[in-house]
Amino acid sequence: MSSSLTPRKWVTFVLINVIVSAITALVLIRVLNSEPGVARTAPPVATSQPAPAVAAAPAATAETTVEAPLDGAGSAPSTPTAVRDKPADTPPPTAAPAATTQSTVVSVRISGVQFPGQRTRESVAILNEGDQVDLTGWSIEAAGNKVYTFKGFVLFRDSFITLYTTNGSDSPTSLFWNQNDAVWKKGDTVTLKQGDKVVATYTVK
């Protein structure tokens, strides 16, 4: 016996097939998702927060941390003791050596008398073989209490000065006694003095 599908039965059949297919698909999806060993990772989520700033390292200090000694119970206190470094010992300043005073070497002598007895020509030559010396206050003495005194004259090292008996104007190398008569004759003693101290003598030849 044959029966024909009416439109109503046909719609019901299609709906049942659609429902059964949907249920089957859902079951398959659930089964597949629940299989062990399948890694499911969520996609990374982009954030707009800035990266945390790295804290700067603290500046080095001149303090040295030293552990405190153990107490009676054999344990050290939890807080270390900060000890400030001591500066390195510096040697005491050495005193500068005392300046040495150099003594002046005085070596002045009478080197000779030229043309004794001739007033316009006779002279006494004085030679300095030592350090520079100030002749101020020094004197030349002759017989008969005749004295010539040097005034404001400096005799340099390794130099000489000539004292003339006659009249004239003094110069750096020549001095004039301004005597009216000759002062020296053979056999006389010429005496060079620094104040009352006799520095040198010379016998006229």
Side-chain angles (χ1 to χ4, degrees), residues 1-41:
M1 181 178 67
S2 62
S3 61
S4 59
L5 294 176
T6 63
R8 183 175 182 180
K9 290 180 180 182
W10 178 256
V11 172
T12 301
F13 177 76
V14 172
L15 290 175
I16 292 173
N17 286 332
V18 171
I19 293 172
V20 171
S21 297
I23 293 174
T24 302
L26 290 175
V27 171
L28 290 175
I29 292 173
R30 180 169 296 182
V31 171
L32 291 176
N33 288 336
S34 62
E35 288 183 359
V38 178
R40 295 184 296 275
T41 57

Side-chain angles (χ1 to χ4, degrees), residues 58-64 84-85:
T61 61
E63 294 186 354
T64 302
R84 189 172 298 277
D85 290 341

Side-chain angles (χ1 to χ4, degrees), residues 75-133:
S75 61
S78 59
T79 303
T81 304
V83 178
R84 189 172 298 277
D85 290 341
K86 294 182 179 180
D89 294 335
T90 55
T94 57
T100 56
T101 303
Q102 296 181 352
S103 58
T104 302
V105 178
V106 178
S107 182
V108 181
R109 66 182 180 88
I110 301 170
S111 64
V113 175
Q114 302 294 323
F115 305 106
Q118 302 180 28
R119 185 188 75 88
T120 58
R121 300 180 65 186
E122 69 177 7
S123 63
V124 178
I126 301 170
L127 177 64
N128 180 18
E129 297 175 323
D131 296 332
Q132 174 180 306
V133 60

